Amino acid sequence: MPSPIRVAILGATGAVGTELLELLASRNFPLADLKLLASPRSAGKTLEFQGEKLPIQVVDGSAFKDCDLVLASAGGSTSKRWAEEITKAGAVMVDNSSAFRMVPEVPLVVPEINPEAAQNHQGIIANPNCTTILMGVAIYPLHQIQPIQRIVVATYQSASGAGAMAMEEVKHQSRDILAGKTPQAEILPYPLAFNLFPHNSPITDNHYCEEEMKMVQETRKIFAAEEIRITATCVRVPVLRAHSEAVNLEFATPFPVDLAKTAIAKAPGVKLVEDWQKNYFPMPIDATGQDDVLVGRIRQDISHPNGLDLWLCGDQIRKGAALNAVQIAELLVERGWL
Ligand code: A2P
């Protein structure tokens, strides 16, 4: 049994923060102390943890002393603002934001794929982008059998990726539309209820949006495979909290469908969900609240002899964010890498 450690959650009141809290409790994480940090907006509020009301503290320079580990999920600018204080205080930061993911010396870790990368951390470990984690756990078992040469992916991303307030906004918009009113968009750029739009992250110089480029760059870093060719189209859809992805994979030689199914069925973190008779495959409502990424519709690509198609759904807040971060924390504790 590893020694209990002192943990702080930065962004404890958010969609991912509250899930982190739930996971630390349900997974019996070895805690010596738990500190909940958020913005001045949350001053005076409390959150329940294992039947106890814990106060939310406003983050400041002294917040990280007496911490061994900080699980950060308060956005990139907040992570950048506090990273130095956290590491100077001697704590390790598992950062859910994109702030440090592509920094060469910062490990970008999915425990089912590259746990060893975490060992070389220098105080910060990055938790990958949600769509990247979900796709990564689903296709890595195939990549281990035969290296993937090219990935073409289209995502169907839920409101949760934009935070708890975006989820509330979609509910309000839905109620307004059903009541015959015009929906308002304040958190997301356009009304999402009964609608969809290409992902709302900034467009980069090559006309891909940042979310799409995260999938390209982060997948290569996690797989340690710079040679994989990847193209992505990311779309926001009016689903509350699980993402879906249509993935086309290309290999050097044909990849038998049965072998792909067997590999996915026995891989950690994924579950094969297919009933071809009933046309039943992974759906966001079934993935919601689940730890595993649901994978199905695995089939031969009829347009390419070396191609495979598959469909996946995964809980964006859980494996796409909070669960992966807690699994990284567990890895650090179990292997003594803190
Ligand atoms: P708060 O609730 O006090 O605003 P989400 O991703 O669901 O939108 O959640 C974002 C989380 O990050 C919330 O817990 C939010 O706290 C926190 N947060 C946002 N800005 C800051 C900040 N400047 N300092 C600390 N926490 C922040």
Side-chain angles (χ1 to χ4, degrees):
M1 179 77 181
S3 308
I5 61 163
R6 299 162 302 178
V7 175
I9 299 179
L10 175 55
T13 50
V16 175
T18 48
E19 195 73 15
L20 284 167
L21 211 56
E22 196 281 312
L23 284 164
L24 292 177
S26 62
R27 293 170 75 89
N28 282 322
F29 190 89
L31 283 172
D33 184 45
L34 180 60
K35 199 181 269 191
L36 306 184
L37 304 170
S39 81
R41 288 181 290 273
S42 300
K45 292 188 190 159
T46 57
L47 281 173
E48 200 166 303
F49 181 74
Q50 294 183 320
E52 218 186 303
K53 280 200 165 114
L54 298 185
I56 314 284
Q57 301 176 40
V58 176
V59 60
D60 64 17
S62 63
F64 306 107
K65 63 177 170 48
D66 309 326
C67 286
D68 303 307
L69 179 82
V70 177
L71 300 170
S73 192
S77 54
T78 307
S79 289
K80 281 187 188 148
R81 166 71 186 84
W82 297 110
E84 203 178 319
E85 265 89 347
I86 293 170
T87 49
K88 264 193 193 153
V92 175
M93 177 188 200
V94 176
D95 184 28
N96 201 53
S97 83
S98 60
F100 303 104
R101 287 180 192 150
M102 295 312 296
V103 175
E105 53 276 16
V106 173
L108 184 64
V109 176
V110 178
E112 291 87 346
I113 301 175
N114 62 341
E116 303 301 328
Q119 184 172 11
N120 301 321
H121 74 80
Q122 293 166 27
I124 302 175
I125 295 175
N127 204 37
N129 162 269
C130 47
T131 42
T132 307
I133 297 176
L134 301 175
M135 181 175 78
V137 280
I139 67 174
Y140 190 67
L142 309 183
H143 182 71
Q144 282 178 297
I145 295 171
Q146 194 185 158
I148 294 167
Q149 294 199 328
R150 180 166 184 252
I151 303 169
V152 181
V153 55
T155 70
Y156 305 70
Q157 299 184 219
S158 58
S160 55
M165 280 154 67
M167 296 167 80
E168 286 310 307
E169 183 165 277
V170 174
K171 290 185 206 165
H172 286 141
Q173 290 170 349
S174 304
R175 285 190 208 105
D176 283 347
I177 290 172
L178 292 173
K181 294 190 214 155
T182 306
Q184 303 301 314
E186 282 165 17
I187 308 295
L188 292 164
Y190 310 106
L192 186 59
F194 301 98
N195 189 28
L196 55 79
F197 45 81
H199 195 277
N200 46 296
S201 54
I203 302 290
T204 70
D205 289 346
N206 65 7
H207 293 177
Y208 282 67
C209 69
E210 284 183 2
E211 184 82 354
E212 291 160 350
M213 290 312 295
K214 285 175 190 172
M215 293 196 80
V216 173
Q217 292 160 345
E218 294 182 22
T219 303
R220 289 179 178 152
K221 181 169 175 177
I222 300 161
F223 281 34
E226 283 305 313
E227 67 285 359
I228 302 184
R229 288 171 292 139
I230 306 173
T231 183
T233 301
C234 293
V235 179
R236 191 72 82 188
V237 296
V239 169
L240 280 183
R241 66 170 276 170
H243 288 352
S244 305
E245 303 181 31
V247 187
N248 177 265
L249 302 172
E250 190 184 319
F251 302 87
T253 60
F255 197 118
V257 170
D258 285 348
L259 181 59
K261 290 187 185 189
T262 313
I264 285 173
K266 64 179 189 207
V270 282
K271 191 170 165 193
L272 184 66
V273 174
E274 297 190 316
D275 187 333
W276 292 85
Q277 305 261 300
K278 292 193 179 138
N279 207 336
Y280 172 73
F281 300 104
M283 291 186 281
I285 48 169
D286 292 335
T288 294
Q290 300 286 317
D291 287 351
D292 285 340
V293 175
L294 311 182
V295 185
R297 296 204 79 211
I298 302 172
R299 62 203 190 281
Q300 171 68 44
D301 172 356
I302 55 167
S303 75
H304 197 296
N306 304 339
L308 275 186
D309 278 301
L310 59 84
W311 169 255
L312 65 90
C313 295
D315 189 311
Q316 181 272 326
I317 302 179
R318 241 174 144 86
K319 183 59 185 169
L323 175 62
N324 199 69
V326 171
Q327 287 173 321
I328 293 172
E330 289 169 346
L331 182 70
L332 296 175
V333 171
E334 280 159 19
R335 305 218 188 163
W337 290 347
L338 263 178

